[in-house]
Amino acid sequence: MFRALAGLVLALLLSSAHAQEAQAPSRLDEIVKRGTLRVGMTGDYLPFTSLDRETRTFRGFDVDMAQALGKALGVKVEFVPTAWPQMMKDFEADSFDIAMGGVSITFDRQKKGLFSTPIMREGKTPIARCADNGKYDTIAEIDKPGTRVIVNPGGTNERFARANVKSADIRVFNDNTKIFDEIAKGDADLMMTDSSETRYQQKLHPGVLCAVHPDTPFDFAEKAYWMQRDVALKAFVDQWLHIAMEDGSYKKIYAAWFE
């Protein structure tokens, strides 16, 4: 009798919990009701995102993608400035619904939220002055006393450099919008960053900076969109990406920034 009563109570509790869960609005519902999608962006990582400090406007590949996502949702897009060293804290503080702008998938980020379907596959590779062609092809050739490796703070670039460079000098440079100028003018020898960025910076500095084997990077990585933990929002973003990649709209935005 007691067991039957206990089982009935447990069943009622579970039923109530499921009912509450079913009635609880998802973040997707909240975004639609709010009429705004809050997008976290660093604004310092072309071609993905760049912030004009005078006009406070963003531009870049993922800026265009964010606007396309907002259109699909039927809401306005609000860009929330963040920075690589504080992105995790801003995410945990719920400062934005989704982080875009060249965000790499990492286990630490995955623990805190959900990633969309990957939008790009790449890895870390060097970019150096074209005059030093063939000098920094391998980690062993880079990791020598006297080599000056420059990194931006707080992201996967610094993490990769510190994990692989023990003998060369590592210099932290805080302004990611000017970091490649340091290499071009000879104040640093190279930077190891995502292959997509090395290709873009090579295009911006023709004959001065050269991407080193961007087709065969040192490691494997993927970029995606990092969302607060809500399965309904992830399902929507994944479906939107799937359609965008099939109907040519993703390719059109990609070509405008990478080709």
Side-chain angles (χ1 to χ4, degrees), residues 8-212:
L8 178 60
V9 171
L10 178 60
L12 288 171
L13 288 173
L14 289 173
S15 177
S16 176
H18 288 314
Q20 290 178 3
E21 182 178 344
Q23 293 173 0
S26 68
R27 181 173 292 267
L28 176 62
D29 294 329
E30 293 174 2
I31 291 168
V32 173
K33 184 177 180 180
R34 186 199 309 147
T36 304
L37 175 69
R38 300 172 304 158
V39 179
M41 277 200 172
T42 62
D44 64 353
Y45 187 14
L46 280 172
F48 296 97
T49 172
S50 176
L51 174 62
D52 187 313
R53 297 185 182 183
E54 291 185 4
T55 64
R56 305 305 297 173
T57 56
F58 286 87
R59 67 184 182 91
F61 169 77
D62 273 334
V63 176
D64 292 347
M65 289 294 288
Q67 294 290 5
L69 174 57
K71 184 178 180 180
L73 284 164
V75 301
K76 295 180 180 179
V77 175
E78 175 189 348
F79 292 106
V80 180
T82 185
W84 298 111
Q86 70 185 53
M87 182 181 285
M88 182 71 77
K89 290 182 179 179
D90 288 344
F91 187 90
E92 291 176 323
D94 196 17
S95 297
F96 41 79
D97 304 302
I98 186 170
M100 303 174 73
V103 179
S104 297
I105 296 175
T106 68
F107 290 131
D108 287 341
R109 290 169 180 161
Q110 183 71 56
K111 291 175 185 176
K112 302 294 183 179
L114 296 174
F115 277 104
S116 69
T117 299
I119 63 165
M120 201 171 293
R121 176 175 178 168
E122 56 182 1
K124 301 300 181 189
T125 200
I127 182 169
R129 288 181 296 279
C130 297
D132 289 331
N133 182 39
K135 191 174 179 180
Y136 303 117
D137 289 349
T138 66
I139 293 291
E141 290 173 318
I142 292 169
D143 193 19
K144 294 179 178 179
T147 301
R148 300 165 300 168
V149 178
I150 196 167
V151 299
N152 57 311
T156 57
N157 290 338
E158 182 179 12
R159 196 174 309 146
F160 181 85
R162 295 199 183 282
N164 291 278
V165 172
K166 306 302 178 184
S167 298
D169 296 326
I170 295 178
R171 175 190 169 197
V172 178
F173 190 78
N174 288 317
D175 191 345
N176 203 35
T177 64
K178 298 178 180 178
I179 195 167
F180 296 96
D181 295 335
E182 295 296 294
I183 304 171
K185 65 185 182 181
D187 289 343
D189 295 315
L190 73 137
M191 179 179 180
M192 291 180 286
T193 186
D194 298 324
S195 53
S196 58
E197 185 174 35
T198 66
R199 287 190 179 97
Y200 183 75
Q201 290 297 330
Q202 176 179 258
K203 186 167 70 172
L204 290 184
H205 301 82
V208 178
L209 297 182
C210 286
V212 181

